[in-house]
Amino acid sequence: MALKNFQFDAIMRDYHRRQLHHKHILDEHIRIAHEKLPELGQLDDQEAEAAADYGARMIGGDETASARLEQILKDIDCRRKELLEQGGFPEGYLTLTYDCPVCKDTGFDEQGRKCACFLKAATDLLYRESNRRAQYEAENFDTFRLDYYDKETVDPKSGTTPYALAENALRAAKQFVADFSQEPGSLVIYGPTGVGKTFLSNCIAKELIESIHSVVHLSAIDFFDRLAAHQFRQEEDEDAIYGSIMQCDLLIIDDLGTEISNSFVINSFCQCIDTRLKNRQGTIITTNLELANLQAQYLDRTFSRLISGFQFLRMTGSDIRFQKKQYLHK
């Protein structure tokens, strides 16, 4: 549950904006109330005088100083409330307010723990950065349905049914999430089009965002475009995007094999995988390629990195999107 420094700073800047906003509201309330009720200014002066008198009495050893100050402030507060009520001002008009009364817009409770509002702000930030909130809300472990997978037909490549493969992939995905904070893993989810590979990666992404992990989710085409932009254009925005790719807790590369392959693509892919494995950062790759095609397209050098550092999950069966369309037209 660790945010990057820039993410933490962004959240704290928002808390600072909230504090300034509420301070501005209070200052405006004070101005309006004092204009209508000049006696409020006199009460403020009395408070200041009482505080100064308290200090002098404490220095002089007056043991009644605290009780005296408490009574004076109580009387002043009662008079202030009476004036505000007579002036038609609502209760609490001159009290500083907060968006979150628990942490008073600091992000942390009295014990120094992250407030619930901080965790929500962190989750919202991570969803915005992923740019896939709607997709994750629709595709998650609660909506993943095994009944789309055939229990009878045996997949010749794996020797088991699509249902058994999907059940195994679902179990592995949940374990991946459970282990992630202690031991971030890496997955290759492969199989034909429309069998739930991207759906399953979305399930994982949503769970990790909810537990305050940063996720970058890109199609293979976008992923390699970002790497090329960083390599050849050297623009500030591109450097920031490249940094998020290399530093995020979980990188998802969707539909590997759809990009145009060349030496730059292969070398960039290999370098990224190497770096993230060495740094113990999670990576998920989905691809329609079978393992032999994956090895042929990305060469033995890259494929050996995948074999050594990734868990492979095969999924197969009928195209679920086609099944859903058939169901809707029944």
Side-chain angles (χ1 to χ4, degrees), residues 285-326:
I285 296 167
T286 72
T287 180
N288 297 337
L289 298 174
E290 293 295 335
L291 296 188
N293 303 113
L294 194 64
Q295 183 174 11
Q297 185 157 330
Y298 294 96
L299 308 180
D300 290 341
R301 176 187 168 209
T302 305
F303 191 72
S304 66
R305 303 307 197 273
L306 299 178
I307 289 292
S308 62
F310 282 67
Q311 179 183 2
F312 285 72
L313 300 175
R314 176 171 171 76
M315 299 181 75
T316 190
S318 302
D319 190 321
I320 293 173
R321 288 166 291 193
F322 180 70
Q323 293 183 60
K324 287 180 178 179
K325 286 182 181 179
Q326 284 186 316

Side-chain angles (χ1 to χ4, degrees), residues 38-309:
E39 189 180 338
L40 289 173
Q42 298 171 16
L43 293 178
D44 290 345
D45 292 340
Q46 291 175 26
E47 278 186 336
E49 291 171 3
D53 179 65
Y54 166 77
R57 289 174 179 275
M58 287 293 293
I59 293 172
D62 186 349
E63 296 181 356
T64 67
S66 293
R68 175 184 172 84
L69 177 64
E70 183 179 349
Q71 184 59 52
I72 291 173
L73 294 180
K74 184 177 180 181
D75 292 342
I76 292 173
D77 189 53
C78 287
R79 179 55 184 159
R80 183 181 287 115
K81 288 179 179 177
E82 288 176 1
L83 285 173
L84 290 170
E85 184 177 352
Q86 291 167 8
F89 292 99
E91 185 177 353
Y93 188 73
L94 296 185
T95 302
L96 183 63
T97 58
Y98 310 98
D99 285 352
C100 178
V102 176
C103 70
K104 297 181 179 178
D105 294 341
T106 64
F108 298 85
D109 64 18
E110 293 180 353
Q111 287 74 43
R113 298 170 301 195
K114 290 185 178 70
C115 184
C117 69
F118 181 98
L119 298 178
K120 183 180 185 305
T123 302
D124 289 342
L125 172 68
L126 295 171
Y127 271 122
R128 288 196 302 273
E129 290 183 351
S130 74
N131 202 31
R132 289 175 176 252
R133 182 165 201 148
Q135 195 169 0
Y136 294 156
E137 292 294 343
E139 299 182 356
N140 51 69
F141 285 129
D142 290 335
T143 59
F144 189 94
R145 291 173 53 189
L146 285 171
D147 52 2
Y148 282 117
Y149 298 91
D150 185 358
K151 292 183 178 182
E152 306 298 331
T153 306
V154 174
D155 171 46
K157 293 185 181 295
S158 60
T160 189
T161 64
Y163 182 92
L165 288 171
E167 189 175 38
N168 175 68
L170 179 60
R171 182 167 52 249
K174 290 182 176 179
Q175 192 62 50
F176 180 93
V177 170
D179 295 341
F180 195 87
S181 292
Q182 298 299 320
E183 190 63 40
S186 293
L187 299 174
V188 173
I189 309 174
Y190 70 105
T193 301
V195 294
K197 303 184 299 297
T198 298
F199 195 122
L200 195 60
S201 69
N202 289 340
C203 295
I204 294 171
K206 182 178 189 301
E207 291 297 315
L208 291 184
I209 286 177
E210 292 288 343
S211 59
I212 321 300
H213 291 91
S214 55
V215 176
V216 172
H217 193 152
L218 296 169
S219 70
I221 293 172
D222 285 341
F223 169 71
F224 288 109
D225 280 349
R226 299 300 189 189
L227 296 188
H230 169 74
Q231 180 73 21
F232 300 116
R233 293 205 292 270
Q234 296 293 316
E235 297 175 1
E236 185 176 343
D237 288 348
E238 298 298 345
D239 286 344
I241 293 170
Y242 178 79
S244 68
I245 289 173
M246 299 308 294
Q247 296 172 25
C248 65
D249 297 321
L250 177 66
L251 171 65
I252 301 177
I253 306 172
D254 208 19
D255 258 351
L256 186 70
T258 55
E259 74 287 348
I260 298 174
S261 184
N262 53 44
S263 60
F264 168 77
V265 166
I266 294 169
N267 289 334
S268 298
F269 179 54
C270 185
Q271 183 180 24
C272 178
I273 294 301
D274 266 348
T275 301
R276 292 188 62 81
L277 286 174
K278 288 175 183 176
N279 293 339
R280 298 179 66 245
Q281 297 164 300
T283 306
I284 296 177
I285 296 167
T286 72
T287 180
N288 297 337
L289 298 174
E290 293 295 335
L291 296 188
N293 303 113
L294 194 64
Q295 183 174 11
Q297 185 157 330
Y298 294 96
L299 308 180
D300 290 341
R301 176 187 168 209
T302 305
F303 191 72
S304 66
R305 303 307 197 273
L306 299 178
I307 289 292
S308 62

